[in-house]
Amino acid sequence: MNIVKRAKAPTPKFFRVLRNIGLALVAVGGVILTAPIALPIVVSSVGGYLAVAGGVLSAISQITTVNENASQQFQDDNE
């Protein structure tokens, strides 16, 4: 399965929640980085880290899909 098919495939509920949390982190990080007032260096660094972490979390959560064959095999193995 290539990246485009993975991105278009249904995402499990848990990873949809994680994706939304990641998008919120990106938004908060972006607001901190583009603040019109002078902020301490530490706060600006945290904003950058939030933006990067949120972007990675959102990207990984978006390409996570449910593999029906694997879940069926897992159920068969546990019975």
Side-chain angles (χ1 to χ4, degrees), residues 9-46:
T11 303
K13 183 177 186 333
F14 175 72
F15 288 101
R16 285 192 306 247
V17 171
L18 282 181
R19 181 189 61 205
N20 292 339
I21 291 170
L23 291 174
L25 288 175
V26 169
V28 169
V31 166
I32 290 172
L33 289 175
T34 60
I37 59 172
L39 296 173
I41 302 289
V42 173
V43 175
S44 296
S45 295
V46 169

mmCIF file of all heavy atoms in Angstrom, residues 9-46:
data_model
loop_
_atom_site.group_PDB
_atom_site.id
_atom_site.type_symbol
_atom_site.label_atom_id
_atom_site.label_comp_id
_atom_site.label_asym_id
_atom_site.label_seq_id
_atom_site.Cartn_x
_atom_site.Cartn_y
_atom_site.Cartn_z
ATOM 1 N N ALA A 9 -7.124 6.026 3.231
ATOM 2 C CA ALA A 9 -7.809 4.913 3.900
ATOM 3 C C ALA A 9 -8.394 5.376 5.235
ATOM 4 O O ALA A 9 -7.954 6.371 5.810
ATOM 5 C CB ALA A 9 -6.822 3.771 4.129
ATOM 6 N N PRO A 10 -9.400 4.660 5.736
ATOM 7 C CA PRO A 10 -9.991 5.034 7.030
ATOM 8 C C PRO A 10 -8.971 4.944 8.168
ATOM 9 O O PRO A 10 -8.150 4.037 8.206
ATOM 10 C CB PRO A 10 -11.104 4.007 7.237
ATOM 11 C CG PRO A 10 -11.259 3.280 5.965
ATOM 12 C CD PRO A 10 -10.059 3.519 5.138
ATOM 13 N N THR A 11 -9.057 5.899 9.066
ATOM 14 C CA THR A 11 -8.154 5.958 10.221
ATOM 15 C C THR A 11 -8.912 5.501 11.462
ATOM 16 O O THR A 11 -10.050 5.917 11.672
ATOM 17 C CB THR A 11 -7.666 7.404 10.416
ATOM 18 O OG1 THR A 11 -7.042 7.839 9.214
ATOM 19 C CG2 THR A 11 -6.668 7.510 11.543
ATOM 20 N N PRO A 12 -8.306 4.672 12.307
ATOM 21 C CA PRO A 12 -8.981 4.255 13.551
ATOM 22 C C PRO A 12 -9.284 5.455 14.454
ATOM 23 O O PRO A 12 -8.599 6.476 14.397
ATOM 24 C CB PRO A 12 -7.967 3.327 14.216
ATOM 25 C CG PRO A 12 -7.061 2.886 13.127
ATOM 26 C CD PRO A 12 -7.020 4.004 12.133
ATOM 27 N N LYS A 13 -10.304 5.321 15.289
ATOM 28 C CA LYS A 13 -10.767 6.431 16.128
ATOM 29 C C LYS A 13 -9.666 6.975 17.027
ATOM 30 O O LYS A 13 -9.514 8.193 17.162
ATOM 31 C CB LYS A 13 -11.946 5.978 16.977
ATOM 32 C CG LYS A 13 -12.535 7.090 17.813
ATOM 33 C CD LYS A 13 -13.745 6.603 18.564
ATOM 34 C CE LYS A 13 -14.512 7.573 19.314
ATOM 35 N NZ LYS A 13 -14.215 8.707 19.878
ATOM 36 N N PHE A 14 -8.874 6.106 17.649
ATOM 37 C CA PHE A 14 -7.801 6.550 18.539
ATOM 38 C C PHE A 14 -6.819 7.460 17.805
ATOM 39 O O PHE A 14 -6.403 8.494 18.328
ATOM 40 C CB PHE A 14 -7.077 5.327 19.111
ATOM 41 C CG PHE A 14 -5.877 5.683 19.941
ATOM 42 C CD1 PHE A 14 -6.020 6.245 21.197
ATOM 43 C CD2 PHE A 14 -4.594 5.468 19.466
ATOM 44 C CE1 PHE A 14 -4.921 6.576 21.966
ATOM 45 C CE2 PHE A 14 -3.490 5.787 20.225
ATOM 46 C CZ PHE A 14 -3.650 6.346 21.477
ATOM 47 N N PHE A 15 -6.469 7.103 16.577
ATOM 48 C CA PHE A 15 -5.503 7.896 15.829
ATOM 49 C C PHE A 15 -6.119 9.169 15.263
ATOM 50 O O PHE A 15 -5.420 10.139 15.028
ATOM 51 C CB PHE A 15 -4.857 7.047 14.732
ATOM 52 C CG PHE A 15 -3.912 6.031 15.300
ATOM 53 C CD1 PHE A 15 -4.289 4.707 15.433
ATOM 54 C CD2 PHE A 15 -2.658 6.398 15.733
ATOM 55 C CE1 PHE A 15 -3.432 3.775 15.981
ATOM 56 C CE2 PHE A 15 -1.794 5.475 16.281
ATOM 57 C CZ PHE A 15 -2.183 4.158 16.412
ATOM 58 N N ARG A 16 -7.436 9.186 15.069
ATOM 59 C CA ARG A 16 -8.091 10.445 14.698
ATOM 60 C C ARG A 16 -7.999 11.434 15.845
ATOM 61 O O ARG A 16 -7.766 12.628 15.633
ATOM 62 C CB ARG A 16 -9.552 10.204 14.322
ATOM 63 C CG ARG A 16 -9.737 9.580 12.963
ATOM 64 C CD ARG A 16 -11.184 9.633 12.533
ATOM 65 N NE ARG A 16 -12.073 9.040 13.527
ATOM 66 C CZ ARG A 16 -12.765 7.930 13.342
ATOM 67 N NH1 ARG A 16 -12.709 7.292 12.206
ATOM 68 N NH2 ARG A 16 -13.542 7.462 14.305
ATOM 69 N N VAL A 17 -8.175 10.955 17.071
ATOM 70 C CA VAL A 17 -8.047 11.824 18.247
ATOM 71 C C VAL A 17 -6.612 12.337 18.356
ATOM 72 O O VAL A 17 -6.381 13.536 18.587
ATOM 73 C CB VAL A 17 -8.474 11.070 19.527
ATOM 74 C CG1 VAL A 17 -8.139 11.869 20.766
ATOM 75 C CG2 VAL A 17 -9.955 10.740 19.478
ATOM 76 N N LEU A 18 -5.637 11.442 18.189
ATOM 77 C CA LEU A 18 -4.231 11.867 18.232
ATOM 78 C C LEU A 18 -3.917 12.881 17.134
ATOM 79 O O LEU A 18 -3.163 13.826 17.360
ATOM 80 C CB LEU A 18 -3.301 10.658 18.092
ATOM 81 C CG LEU A 18 -3.104 9.798 19.318
ATOM 82 C CD1 LEU A 18 -2.129 8.674 19.001
ATOM 83 C CD2 LEU A 18 -2.611 10.599 20.488
ATOM 84 N N ARG A 19 -4.479 12.678 15.940
ATOM 85 C CA ARG A 19 -4.253 13.614 14.840
ATOM 86 C C ARG A 19 -4.775 14.999 15.205
ATOM 87 O O ARG A 19 -4.105 16.013 14.975
ATOM 88 C CB ARG A 19 -4.936 13.105 13.573
ATOM 89 C CG ARG A 19 -4.734 14.016 12.371
ATOM 90 C CD ARG A 19 -5.599 13.600 11.215
ATOM 91 N NE ARG A 19 -6.999 13.681 11.606
ATOM 92 C CZ ARG A 19 -7.976 12.972 11.053
ATOM 93 N NH1 ARG A 19 -7.724 12.127 10.097
ATOM 94 N NH2 ARG A 19 -9.214 13.114 11.467
ATOM 95 N N ASN A 20 -5.955 15.051 15.798
ATOM 96 C CA ASN A 20 -6.529 16.341 16.191
ATOM 97 C C ASN A 20 -5.709 17.012 17.289
ATOM 98 O O ASN A 20 -5.538 18.233 17.289
ATOM 99 C CB ASN A 20 -7.975 16.164 16.625
ATOM 100 C CG ASN A 20 -8.863 15.781 15.460
ATOM 101 O OD1 ASN A 20 -8.517 16.003 14.308
ATOM 102 N ND2 ASN A 20 -9.984 15.173 15.759
ATOM 103 N N ILE A 21 -5.188 16.221 18.225
ATOM 104 C CA ILE A 21 -4.310 16.777 19.256
ATOM 105 C C ILE A 21 -3.046 17.341 18.614
ATOM 106 O O ILE A 21 -2.579 18.424 18.978
ATOM 107 C CB ILE A 21 -3.979 15.709 20.316
ATOM 108 C CG1 ILE A 21 -5.225 15.387 21.139
ATOM 109 C CG2 ILE A 21 -2.839 16.157 21.218
ATOM 110 C CD1 ILE A 21 -5.076 14.188 22.044
ATOM 111 N N GLY A 22 -2.504 16.621 17.648
ATOM 112 C CA GLY A 22 -1.318 17.102 16.941
ATOM 113 C C GLY A 22 -1.583 18.408 16.204
ATOM 114 O O GLY A 22 -0.748 19.315 16.213
ATOM 115 N N LEU A 23 -2.738 18.509 15.577
ATOM 116 C CA LEU A 23 -3.081 19.753 14.878
ATOM 117 C C LEU A 23 -3.220 20.915 15.858
ATOM 118 O O LEU A 23 -2.826 22.045 15.552
ATOM 119 C CB LEU A 23 -4.368 19.563 14.076
ATOM 120 C CG LEU A 23 -4.254 18.642 12.866
ATOM 121 C CD1 LEU A 23 -5.625 18.410 12.252
ATOM 122 C CD2 LEU A 23 -3.289 19.199 11.848
ATOM 123 N N ALA A 24 -3.763 20.632 17.039
ATOM 124 C CA ALA A 24 -3.863 21.676 18.055
ATOM 125 C C ALA A 24 -2.474 22.114 18.520
ATOM 126 O O ALA A 24 -2.225 23.313 18.721
ATOM 127 C CB ALA A 24 -4.687 21.186 19.236
ATOM 128 N N LEU A 25 -1.551 21.156 18.685
ATOM 129 C CA LEU A 25 -0.180 21.505 19.074
ATOM 130 C C LEU A 25 0.492 22.367 18.011
ATOM 131 O O LEU A 25 1.212 23.315 18.337
ATOM 132 C CB LEU A 25 0.640 20.240 19.321
ATOM 133 C CG LEU A 25 0.314 19.442 20.572
ATOM 134 C CD1 LEU A 25 1.135 18.167 20.609
ATOM 135 C CD2 LEU A 25 0.547 20.267 21.813
ATOM 136 N N VAL A 26 0.265 22.039 16.745
ATOM 137 C CA VAL A 26 0.828 22.851 15.663
ATOM 138 C C VAL A 26 0.276 24.270 15.726
ATOM 139 O O VAL A 26 1.022 25.246 15.567
ATOM 140 C CB VAL A 26 0.529 22.220 14.285
ATOM 141 C CG1 VAL A 26 0.854 23.164 13.149
ATOM 142 C CG2 VAL A 26 1.306 20.923 14.126
ATOM 143 N N ALA A 27 -1.015 24.395 15.980
ATOM 144 C CA ALA A 27 -1.633 25.718 16.053
ATOM 145 C C ALA A 27 -1.066 26.535 17.215
ATOM 146 O O ALA A 27 -0.725 27.718 17.046
ATOM 147 C CB ALA A 27 -3.145 25.585 16.191
ATOM 148 N N VAL A 28 -0.934 25.903 18.378
ATOM 149 C CA VAL A 28 -0.393 26.614 19.543
ATOM 150 C C VAL A 28 1.060 27.018 19.290
ATOM 151 O O VAL A 28 1.477 28.148 19.580
ATOM 152 C CB VAL A 28 -0.522 25.754 20.819
ATOM 153 C CG1 VAL A 28 0.254 26.351 21.971
ATOM 154 C CG2 VAL A 28 -1.982 25.577 21.188
ATOM 155 N N GLY A 29 1.838 26.092 18.730
ATOM 156 C CA GLY A 29 3.237 26.402 18.413
ATOM 157 C C GLY A 29 3.354 27.534 17.405
ATOM 158 O O GLY A 29 4.209 28.419 17.536
ATOM 159 N N GLY A 30 2.481 27.537 16.405
ATOM 160 C CA GLY A 30 2.500 28.605 15.412
ATOM 161 C C GLY A 30 2.144 29.954 16.001
ATOM 162 O O GLY A 30 2.739 30.980 15.662
ATOM 163 N N VAL A 31 1.170 29.969 16.900
ATOM 164 C CA VAL A 31 0.785 31.225 17.562
ATOM 165 C C VAL A 31 1.940 31.757 18.398
ATOM 166 O O VAL A 31 2.230 32.959 18.388
ATOM 167 C CB VAL A 31 -0.483 31.013 18.424
ATOM 168 C CG1 VAL A 31 -0.705 32.176 19.362
ATOM 169 C CG2 VAL A 31 -1.691 30.800 17.537
ATOM 170 N N ILE A 32 2.610 30.866 19.116
ATOM 171 C CA ILE A 32 3.742 31.303 19.943
ATOM 172 C C ILE A 32 4.865 31.846 19.071
ATOM 173 O O ILE A 32 5.461 32.889 19.379
ATOM 174 C CB ILE A 32 4.246 30.139 20.831
ATOM 175 C CG1 ILE A 32 3.207 29.824 21.911
ATOM 176 C CG2 ILE A 32 5.584 30.474 21.470
ATOM 177 C CD1 ILE A 32 3.507 28.570 22.711
ATOM 178 N N LEU A 33 5.140 31.160 17.971
ATOM 179 C CA LEU A 33 6.244 31.597 17.107
ATOM 180 C C LEU A 33 5.961 32.910 16.383
ATOM 181 O O LEU A 33 6.883 33.670 16.098
ATOM 182 C CB LEU A 33 6.575 30.506 16.086
ATOM 183 C CG LEU A 33 7.243 29.258 16.659
ATOM 184 C CD1 LEU A 33 7.392 28.206 15.572
ATOM 185 C CD2 LEU A 33 8.589 29.606 17.254
ATOM 186 N N THR A 34 4.710 33.171 16.081
ATOM 187 C CA THR A 34 4.373 34.387 15.329
ATOM 188 C C THR A 34 3.797 35.487 16.212
ATOM 189 O O THR A 34 3.182 36.425 15.699
ATOM 190 C CB THR A 34 3.363 34.056 14.218
ATOM 191 O OG1 THR A 34 2.181 33.515 14.800
ATOM 192 C CG2 THR A 34 3.959 33.080 13.217
ATOM 193 N N ALA A 35 3.983 35.380 17.518
ATOM 194 C CA ALA A 35 3.472 36.398 18.433
ATOM 195 C C ALA A 35 4.091 37.760 18.107
ATOM 196 O O ALA A 35 5.292 37.855 17.862
ATOM 197 C CB ALA A 35 3.769 36.012 19.874
ATOM 198 N N PRO A 36 3.278 38.825 18.084
ATOM 199 C CA PRO A 36 3.789 40.143 17.719
ATOM 200 C C PRO A 36 4.614 40.823 18.821
ATOM 201 O O PRO A 36 5.179 41.884 18.598
ATOM 202 C CB PRO A 36 2.520 40.943 17.427
ATOM 203 C CG PRO A 36 1.465 40.274 18.232
ATOM 204 C CD PRO A 36 1.840 38.825 18.293
ATOM 205 N N ILE A 37 4.670 40.186 19.989
ATOM 206 C CA ILE A 37 5.461 40.776 21.073
ATOM 207 C C ILE A 37 6.728 39.954 21.277
ATOM 208 O O ILE A 37 6.809 38.802 20.855
ATOM 209 C CB ILE A 37 4.653 40.835 22.395
ATOM 210 C CG1 ILE A 37 4.198 39.429 22.818
ATOM 211 C CG2 ILE A 37 3.446 41.748 22.244
ATOM 212 C CD1 ILE A 37 3.579 39.373 24.188
ATOM 213 N N ALA A 38 7.696 40.553 21.902
ATOM 214 C CA ALA A 38 8.954 39.854 22.164
ATOM 215 C C ALA A 38 8.763 38.872 23.319
ATOM 216 O O ALA A 38 8.346 39.249 24.404
ATOM 217 C CB ALA A 38 10.045 40.853 22.507
ATOM 218 N N LEU A 39 9.032 37.622 23.047
ATOM 219 C CA LEU A 39 8.911 36.578 24.057
ATOM 220 C C LEU A 39 10.292 36.075 24.435
ATOM 221 O O LEU A 39 11.231 36.157 23.638
ATOM 222 C CB LEU A 39 8.083 35.411 23.517
ATOM 223 C CG LEU A 39 6.627 35.719 23.176
ATOM 224 C CD1 LEU A 39 5.990 34.526 22.486
ATOM 225 C CD2 LEU A 39 5.858 36.064 24.432
ATOM 226 N N PRO A 40 10.441 35.559 25.637
ATOM 227 C CA PRO A 40 11.738 34.994 26.025
ATOM 228 C C PRO A 40 12.147 33.850 25.080
ATOM 229 O O PRO A 40 11.303 33.195 24.470
ATOM 230 C CB PRO A 40 11.488 34.459 27.438
ATOM 231 C CG PRO A 40 10.292 35.184 27.932
ATOM 232 C CD PRO A 40 9.477 35.506 26.730
ATOM 233 N N ILE A 41 13.434 33.618 25.003
ATOM 234 C CA ILE A 41 13.979 32.584 24.122
ATOM 235 C C ILE A 41 13.392 31.212 24.453
ATOM 236 O O ILE A 41 13.086 30.426 23.550
ATOM 237 C CB ILE A 41 15.521 32.538 24.236
ATOM 238 C CG1 ILE A 41 16.135 33.881 23.880
ATOM 239 C CG2 ILE A 41 16.103 31.429 23.397
ATOM 240 C CD1 ILE A 41 16.052 34.222 22.412
ATOM 241 N N VAL A 42 13.228 30.933 25.730
ATOM 242 C CA VAL A 42 12.706 29.619 26.144
ATOM 243 C C VAL A 42 11.298 29.405 25.588
ATOM 244 O O VAL A 42 10.972 28.328 25.085
ATOM 245 C CB VAL A 42 12.713 29.502 27.684
ATOM 246 C CG1 VAL A 42 12.031 28.229 28.139
ATOM 247 C CG2 VAL A 42 14.118 29.579 28.216
ATOM 248 N N VAL A 43 10.460 30.422 25.663
ATOM 249 C CA VAL A 43 9.086 30.307 25.174
ATOM 250 C C VAL A 43 9.085 30.107 23.666
ATOM 251 O O VAL A 43 8.328 29.281 23.130
ATOM 252 C CB VAL A 43 8.260 31.543 25.576
ATOM 253 C CG1 VAL A 43 6.870 31.488 24.975
ATOM 254 C CG2 VAL A 43 8.182 31.661 27.091
ATOM 255 N N SER A 44 9.938 30.821 22.950
ATOM 256 C CA SER A 44 10.029 30.651 21.502
ATOM 257 C C SER A 44 10.521 29.251 21.138
ATOM 258 O O SER A 44 10.043 28.649 20.178
ATOM 259 C CB SER A 44 10.966 31.694 20.904
ATOM 260 O OG SER A 44 10.442 32.986 21.100
ATOM 261 N N SER A 45 11.458 28.732 21.904
ATOM 262 C CA SER A 45 11.957 27.379 21.648
ATOM 263 C C SER A 45 10.851 26.349 21.875
ATOM 264 O O SER A 45 10.703 25.409 21.087
ATOM 265 C CB SER A 45 13.137 27.062 22.562
ATOM 266 O OG SER A 45 14.218 27.899 22.275
ATOM 267 N N VAL A 46 10.081 26.528 22.944
ATOM 268 C CA VAL A 46 8.973 25.611 23.216
ATOM 269 C C VAL A 46 7.957 25.662 22.083
ATOM 270 O O VAL A 46 7.424 24.638 21.662
ATOM 271 C CB VAL A 46 8.317 25.938 24.576
ATOM 272 C CG1 VAL A 46 7.001 25.195 24.756
ATOM 273 C CG2 VAL A 46 9.269 25.609 25.706
#
